[in-house]
Structures are given as structure tokens and as C-alpha cells.
């Protein structure tokens, strides 16, 4: 019996159903049976079907060894209701399936569940809101678009730093970041992280993005206690005090030597039944009908435990805060009860761990459609939650840090240079074309040669620059773009032609050097007699 692993993706529950049905019809042993003095060919008893299908589900990595015989019977009831099997007289639908010797057979054809038809979706990752996006309700159809002409003057402005000129800049404050902007960023980035982890082209077939509430995500991240449990603003949505007291009683069950031990026998079973009744009568499972497909899709990642934990972390952030709080308190109680060796048996027929999974799996995960594998999938999910609830119900720090950094970036001022704030609207490319490594190297090496060569010629022919300034700019250009400079001046002689050496003037002879050396004044004899 082989049951291939069904990975994450859209309609995972439907794919699991169809594969289980096909495998059951193909592999289930059929033989001759007698009933009331009559022989029937190619049939099987209900007990034989339960035995075979139970072993198949336990050995499957999609469901695991936690599957019980009772859950297998529930699945066969759904098989009978949907005409996957029929009784030996051809009855199905209204009949009830029981674990006994009643005979069943396969109908000539077994209808498989069709996949839901949804409108086509765009295979794009979720777009983050940008400041360049127009406000809601505005149209850009009539806005003129000026074509971009990359002339040498524009290249000169953009590469002015490389040739030594740093233009004057100005600070531009961004527009005010509203609460709605922050909420949209949280929603977009959270769903983008989930889409990336699941490896899907779109989340449209896993959950309805329009129903995702960004306020829930922010509340689940920031409104938490020191223990990491969500704090509710609306106290009317809290657990009833008597349910919370019962959960604390079982989670902190005292030792036998404690004087606070209840006096009558079976008190712990009554307390457990009180909690089970409350959670069993919830109008909607804690993981909500809307997120059923998302959580079932994550179950396909259980072979990669770390990745599955990250995906569950993000999915649990999408829950309403009151659901997340109830789930946190319930999982903490279940884990403590299973680890408490002093806890008396809460059920005679099952172990404590199996009892926890069977009792609370349906109130945690359930689908609206009764024709589904929700019991088996819920048991698989609850088992994984019990083993990793502390990590799963934490806030993913990587996601929180990324979003906070993005919000902080959008709140900072922006530096703009002249020519960088031109009123030009560029259309985004509709697709990307894969190129060869040789073409990439060619574009990288020669894609910007012509504009740079034009920029170099402008520096050379600029008559306003003095020889000293021109030499300085050419030296900086040579340092920044040596290939372009080498192509323009391949030899030192070609560079020397740009600055011809002027003849040096001969040094003039000093006239005073030819005169006699200075002699001091000598007093002469007077001619007067």
C-alpha cells in the first residue's frame, strides 16, 4: 500500500480525498462472501474495510499513526454517503456504516470530488503600497507621459559625482503615513511571506485575501501579555470565567499530597467534560472556515518542520484576536495535561494524548463541507500543534522586523538631486526575458559605453574649463571608467596631443649682474683752495 505525499497548494483536501478514494478502490482486497444462504462475489465486510483502510491511513505520511479506528469508520461513512461504496443490495446515501460483518461492494464507477472553479488570477506576488501610487479613486489615464531622452547632458548630471562635481541636494519630506497605509503594509507583507513559504503563484485559491483583516494582524503582534497571550480590548469576547477556572484547574493539577485536592472521585473528569462541552459548541472552529484551506495547505510541509512552523506562525496571525487567545489557552492546557504524570486518567478507553486530539480537533479545524477529510486532517494538525505550540503561537520576529523597517523607511525624509525629480512616468516592464551569460557580460561591459564616451567628449571640448580643471576631471574620469578612457586615449601620445607643451622662455640676463659691485661712498678732497 503506497500513499504518495500531497504537498502544499490549492485544494489539498480535495486532492487527498480523490487519491484516498482511488487507492481504496484499487487496492482493497475483494473476495467471495456468503450471507443468508446466498453467495456474493467481489465484495468485502465493513470490518475488513475498516481494518484495511485504517492501516493505509496510519502508514501514510499525509495522516500519520495518530489516526484511530473510530476516525476510519467516520471516513467510511462519508464514502457510503457519497457512493464511493454501496451495500451488497446497492443501497447508499441514507444507510449508516458500522464496524460489523455487513457486506459492501464498489459501484461500477466512483465519482471523484470536482475541483472548485474560481476566476482566473494573476500570477503576481502581492504588491506593496508605494508612495508613487495615486490615492484611491484617482485615474492616471489622461496624465501625459513625457518620453525619456538620455542625452549627454542627462548623463553628465547623473555621473557628475564620478567626475568630481557633487550637485546641491535638497530634503523632501514624504507625505504623511496614515494608519490605513500602515495596515495595508502589514497585510501585504504578511501575505507575501506566506505565499513565499508555501511556494504558490497566488494565494487566491487558498484563501480570500479580501477577508483578511489587517487590524487582526497588528493586534495579534502588539497586544500581548508577557507570556505572549493575546490581550482583548473587548472583554465580552473573553472565555467565561467558569471555563477559564476549569482550564486553570487541569493545567495546574495539584499533587496528591496537596490539601487542595478535590474530595470526590472523578472530579477531574467532570472538569474536563465542562471544558470539552464549551469548546464543542462553538459556532465556528478556532481556525475559522475561511482559513481552512490555508492551514490544510501548510500540513503538506510537515516533512520540513522548521518551514511548517514558520507557515503556521503566519497563518495564526490572520486569526481574529479572540480566536487566537482561546487557541493559546487551550493548547497550553492540553500540553500541560499530557506532560503531567500526576494527572489521573481522564478516559478509560484512550490515553491522555489521544483523548486530547479526539476531543478538541474538530473545534480547532473543521470545514464547512461535510464531505471532506477534516477529521483526519484536524487530528494531524492538532498533534503538530501540541508538539510545537510554543513556537507556532509566537510572533515571527523576521516578519515583524521587516515590516517595521519598511514603515520606518517610508517615514524618513528623502534626498533629491537636481534632475532626479523630473516629471517622467516610466512604465514597468511587462515581462523579463532570460538571456545567455555571454549576452549578459556584453551588456554589462558595453551597455553604457556610448553615453560615457559622449560625456568624455564634452569634458574634452569644453572651452570654459581651464587646462588645470580639465586635467583634474579627466583624471577622475579615468579612475572611474578606465575602459572608456583607454578607448579614447589608447596611448600616452594621444593623451599628450590634448595638452601640447608650450616652449619654455629663455631666462633673461640680469642687467645689474653686469655692473660693478656696489662700493661705499668715499669722501673726496675739496677743490676749493
Amino acid at each position: 500500500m503506497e500513499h504518495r505525499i500531497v504537498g502544499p497548494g490549492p485544494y489539498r483536501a480535495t486532492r487527498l480525498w480523490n487519491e484516498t478514494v482511488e487507492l481504496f478502490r484499487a487496492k482493497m482486497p475483494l473476495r467471495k462472501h456468503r450471507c443468508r444462504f446466498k453467495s456474493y462475489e467481489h465484495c468485502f465486510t465493513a470490518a475488513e474495510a475498516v481494518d484495511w483502510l485504517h492501516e493505509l491511513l496510519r502508514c501514510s505520511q499525509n495522516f500519520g499513526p495518530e489516526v484511530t479506528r473510530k476516525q476510519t469508520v467516520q471516513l467510511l461513512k462519508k464514502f457510503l454517503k457519497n457512493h464511493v461504496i454501496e451495500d451488497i443490495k446497492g443501497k447508499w446515501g441514507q444507510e449508516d456504516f458500522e464496524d460489523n460483518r455487513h457486506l459492501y461492494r464498489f459501484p461500477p464507477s466512483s465519482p471523484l470530488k470536482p475541483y472548485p472553479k474560481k476566476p482566473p488570477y494573476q500570477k503576481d506576488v502581492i504588491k506593496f503600497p508605494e508612495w508613487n501610487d495615486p490615492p484611491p479613486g484617482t485615474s492616471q489615464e489622461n496624465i501625459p507621459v513625457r518620453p525619456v531622452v538620455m542625452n549627454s547632458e542627462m548623463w553628465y548630471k547623473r555621473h557628475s559625482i564620478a567626475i568630481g562635481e557633487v550637485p546641491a541636494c535638497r530634503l523632501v519630506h514624504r507625505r504623511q503615513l496614515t494608519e490605513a497605509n500602515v495596515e495595508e503594509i502589514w497585510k501585504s507583507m504578511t501575505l507575501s511571506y506566506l505565499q513565499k513559504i508555501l511556494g504558490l503563484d497566488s494565494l487566491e485559491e487558498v484563501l480570500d485575501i479580501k477577508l483578511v483583516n489587517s487590524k487582526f494582524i497588528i493586534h495579534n503582534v502588539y497586544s500581548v501579555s508577557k507570556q505572549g497571550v493575546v490581550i482583548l480590548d473587548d472583554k465580552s469576547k473573553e472565555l467565561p470565567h467558569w471555563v477559564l477556572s476549569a482550564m486553570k484547574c487541569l493545567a495546574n493539577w495539584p499533587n496528591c499530597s496537596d490539601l487542595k485536592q478535590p474530595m470526590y472521585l472523578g472530579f477531574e473528569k467532570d472538569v474536563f467534560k465542562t471544558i470539552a462541552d464549551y469548546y464543542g459548541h462553538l459556532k465556528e472552529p478556532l481556525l475559522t472556515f475561511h482559513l481552512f484551506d490555508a492551514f490544510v495547505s501548510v500540513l503538506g510541509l510537515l516533512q520540513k518542520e522548521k518551514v511548517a512552523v514558520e507557515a503556521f506562525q503566519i497563518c495564526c496571525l490572520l486569526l481574529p484576536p479572540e480566536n487566537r487567545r482561546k487557541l493559546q489557552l487551550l493548547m497550553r492546557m492540553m500540553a500541560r495535561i499530557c506532560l503531567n504524570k500526576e494527572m489521573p486518567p481522564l478516559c478509560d478507553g484512550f490515553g491522555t494524548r489521544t483523548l486530547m486530539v479526539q476531543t478538541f480537533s474538530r473545534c480547532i479545524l473543521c470545514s464547512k463541507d461535510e464531505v471532506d477529510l477534516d477529521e483526519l486532517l484536524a487530528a494531524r494538525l492538532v498533534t503538530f500543534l501540541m508538539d510545537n505550540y510554543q513556537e507556532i503561537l509566537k510572533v515571527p520576529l523576521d516578519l515583524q522586523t521587516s515590516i517595521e523597517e519598511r514603515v520606518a523607511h517610508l517615514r524618513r525624509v528623502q534626498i533629491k538631486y537636481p534632475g532626479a525629480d523630473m516629471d517622467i512616468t516610466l512604465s514597468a516592464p511587462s515581462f523579463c526575458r532570460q538571456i545567455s551569460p555571454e549576452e549578459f557580460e556584453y551588456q554589462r561591459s558595453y551597455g553604457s559605453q556610448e553615453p560615457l564616451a559622449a560625456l568624455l567628449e564634452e569634458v574634452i571640448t569644453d572651452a570654459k574649463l581651464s587646462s588645470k580643471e580639465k586635467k583634474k576631471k579627466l583624471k577622475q574620469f579615468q579612475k572611474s571608467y578606465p575602459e572608456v578612457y583607454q578607448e579614447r586615449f589608447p596611448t600616452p601620445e594621444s593623451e599628450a596631443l590634448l595638452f601640447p607643451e608650450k616652449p619654455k622662455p629663455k631666462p633673461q640676463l640680469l642687467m645689474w649682474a653686469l655692473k660693478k659691485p656696489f662700493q661705499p661712498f668715499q669722501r673726496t678732497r675739496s677743490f676749493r683752495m
Side-chain angles (χ1 to χ4, degrees):
M1 294 183 295
E2 295 182 359
H3 209 151
R4 62 186 178 88
I5 300 177
V6 178
Y11 318 122
R12 184 174 185 270
T14 304
R15 288 186 285 140
L16 282 172
W17 170 277
N18 290 340
E19 182 177 341
T20 305
V21 168
E22 290 179 342
L23 196 58
F24 180 54
R25 285 176 56 87
K27 300 292 185 178
M28 175 66 200
L30 306 177
R31 62 186 181 90
K32 181 179 179 181
H33 288 81
R34 292 184 60 86
C35 180
R36 295 180 181 179
F37 307 103
K38 190 174 181 181
S39 297
Y40 297 94
E41 299 286 345
H42 307 293
C43 58
F44 51 87
T45 66
E48 290 173 349
V50 175
D51 291 339
W52 191 90
L53 187 57
H54 185 212
E55 185 63 22
L56 171 69
L57 297 175
R58 284 174 53 85
C59 296
S60 171
Q61 295 184 1
N62 295 312
F63 304 105
E66 300 290 339
V67 178
T68 63
R69 190 175 182 87
K70 181 180 178 181
Q71 292 172 335
T72 307
V73 173
Q74 293 296 325
L75 179 58
L76 285 167
K77 287 184 178 181
K78 294 185 178 182
F79 281 178
L80 181 60
K81 183 177 180 180
N82 292 273
H83 207 194
V84 176
I85 60 176
E86 61 184 16
D87 77 347
I88 202 63
K89 296 181 180 180
K91 297 180 181 180
W92 60 277
Q94 301 299 327
E95 302 295 322
D96 191 19
F97 185 93
E98 296 181 1
D99 191 357
N100 53 25
R101 301 293 300 173
H102 194 75
L103 293 180
Y104 292 90
R105 66 187 181 188
F106 291 120
S109 62
S110 179
L112 300 178
K113 288 182 61 176
Y115 295 100
K117 293 183 179 180
K118 293 189 177 182
Y121 59 91
Q122 297 180 352
K123 294 185 177 182
D124 297 329
V125 295
I126 299 168
K127 183 179 181 298
F128 298 158
E130 299 288 349
W131 291 125
N132 296 330
D133 296 342
T138 60
S139 175
Q140 290 186 320
E141 296 179 356
N142 300 323
I143 298 178
V145 179
R146 189 174 67 185
V148 181
V149 180
M150 295 300 292
N151 53 21
S152 58
E153 180 180 358
M154 186 179 298
W155 274 93
Y156 184 83
K157 290 181 179 179
R158 293 192 177 184
H159 293 267
S160 57
I161 296 179
I163 61 175
E165 289 186 359
V166 180
C169 62
R170 59 190 177 91
L171 298 180
V172 178
H173 291 271
R174 297 182 184 271
R175 63 185 175 90
Q176 184 65 30
L177 192 65
T178 64
E179 183 178 353
N181 297 139
V182 176
E183 292 176 358
E184 185 64 26
I185 293 171
W186 271 94
K187 178 179 176 178
S188 300
M189 294 191 67
T190 302
L191 295 179
S192 179
Y193 264 62
L194 179 59
Q195 178 177 331
K196 181 179 179 181
I197 292 176
L198 295 180
L200 302 179
D201 294 327
S202 174
L203 293 177
E204 293 290 341
E205 295 179 343
V206 175
L207 58 87
D208 190 350
I209 298 178
K210 296 179 181 178
L211 299 180
V212 175
N213 194 326
S214 56
K215 295 182 183 295
F216 291 169
I217 303 174
I218 298 175
H219 188 100
N220 291 332
V221 170
Y222 293 108
S223 298
V224 294
S225 64
K226 294 182 179 179
Q227 292 76 26
V229 180
V230 175
I231 301 175
L232 301 181
D233 297 331
D234 187 359
K235 300 303 179 183
S236 63
K237 297 181 179 180
E238 288 274 7
L239 282 169
H241 69 279
W242 49 273
V243 176
L244 191 58
S245 299
M247 295 176 69
K248 289 182 179 179
C249 177
L250 291 184
N252 304 309
W253 186 259
N255 296 326
C256 296
S257 59
D258 198 329
L259 296 178
K260 296 180 180 180
Q261 179 79 13
M263 298 304 296
Y264 71 90
L265 187 64
F267 174 79
E268 67 282 351
K269 295 181 181 180
D270 293 340
V271 175
F272 181 75
K273 186 177 182 303
T274 300
I275 302 171
D277 289 343
Y278 172 79
Y279 276 94
H281 288 85
L282 294 176
K283 296 181 180 180
E284 189 179 24
L286 295 179
L287 300 185
T288 72
F289 292 133
H290 165 235
L291 296 175
F292 174 80
D293 289 330
F295 279 100
V296 170
S297 183
V298 177
L299 285 175
L301 297 171
L302 293 189
Q303 303 300 321
K304 305 174 183 178
E305 183 175 332
K306 184 178 179 181
V307 179
V309 168
E310 293 178 358
F312 275 128
Q313 282 181 338
I314 298 177
C315 285
C316 289
L317 284 181
L318 308 181
L319 295 173
E322 57 270 20
N323 288 37
R324 182 178 172 91
R325 177 177 173 82
K326 291 177 182 178
L327 179 65
Q328 287 175 317
L329 297 177
L330 177 62
M331 296 309 303
R332 187 168 64 176
M333 182 203 71
M334 293 169 61
R336 289 187 178 183
I337 290 176
C338 292
L339 295 175
N340 189 358
K341 297 181 180 180
E342 303 296 333
M343 173 66 68
L346 298 175
C347 181
D348 298 333
F350 301 101
T352 303
R353 182 182 175 88
T354 305
L355 177 64
M356 293 295 137
V357 174
Q358 288 192 6
T359 303
F360 297 108
S361 60
R362 191 165 182 80
C363 72
I364 293 177
L365 182 70
C366 180
S367 66
K368 281 187 176 181
D369 187 7
E370 294 183 358
V371 188
D372 215 327
L373 302 172
D374 50 0
E375 291 94 348
L376 302 177
L377 297 174
R380 182 74 163 158
L381 182 140
V382 172
T383 302
F384 190 79
L385 272 178
M386 287 178 58
D387 295 335
N388 304 275
Y389 81 98
Q390 291 181 336
E391 289 296 324
I392 290 176
L393 295 176
K394 283 183 180 178
V395 177
L397 294 180
D398 292 342
L399 174 63
Q400 181 181 357
T401 303
S402 299
I403 297 177
E404 289 176 348
E405 288 179 353
R406 181 169 183 81
V407 172
H409 168 72
L410 293 175
R411 283 175 172 161
R412 296 190 189 105
V413 297
Q414 184 180 11
I415 301 177
K416 291 215 172 184
Y417 294 95
D421 53 351
M422 294 179 297
D423 189 14
I424 298 176
T425 303
L426 298 177
S427 59
S430 58
F431 65 93
C432 295
R433 180 177 63 87
Q434 187 175 4
I435 62 176
S436 63
E438 294 78 10
E439 186 176 356
F440 170 76
E441 290 295 332
Y442 176 81
Q443 292 182 4
R444 185 178 66 85
S445 302
Y446 303 100
S448 59
Q449 299 292 329
E450 295 182 2
L452 289 174
L455 176 61
L456 179 59
E457 288 297 331
E458 282 199 6
V459 176
I460 294 173
T461 58
D462 193 351
K464 297 181 181 180
L465 295 177
S466 63
S467 298
K468 183 177 181 180
E469 293 175 346
K470 189 175 294 187
K471 287 182 179 180
K472 181 179 179 182
K473 291 182 181 295
L474 290 176
K475 201 69 176 179
Q476 292 171 344
F477 192 98
Q478 182 184 13
K479 185 177 181 181
S480 300
Y481 307 104
E483 296 86 359
V484 180
Y485 191 88
Q486 179 67 24
E487 186 176 355
R488 177 62 177 82
F489 300 107
T491 61
E493 290 77 11
S494 60
E495 184 178 5
L497 293 175
L498 184 61
F499 303 101
E501 295 184 0
K502 297 181 180 179
K504 296 182 180 180
K506 295 182 178 180
Q508 298 180 358
L509 296 176
L510 298 178
M511 299 301 296
W512 60 270
L514 300 177
K515 295 182 180 180
K516 294 181 179 181
F518 176 75
Q519 296 179 356
F521 177 76
Q522 295 181 358
R523 188 172 182 177
T524 59
R525 185 179 297 178
S526 175
F527 290 98
R528 290 186 300 176
M529 298 302 295

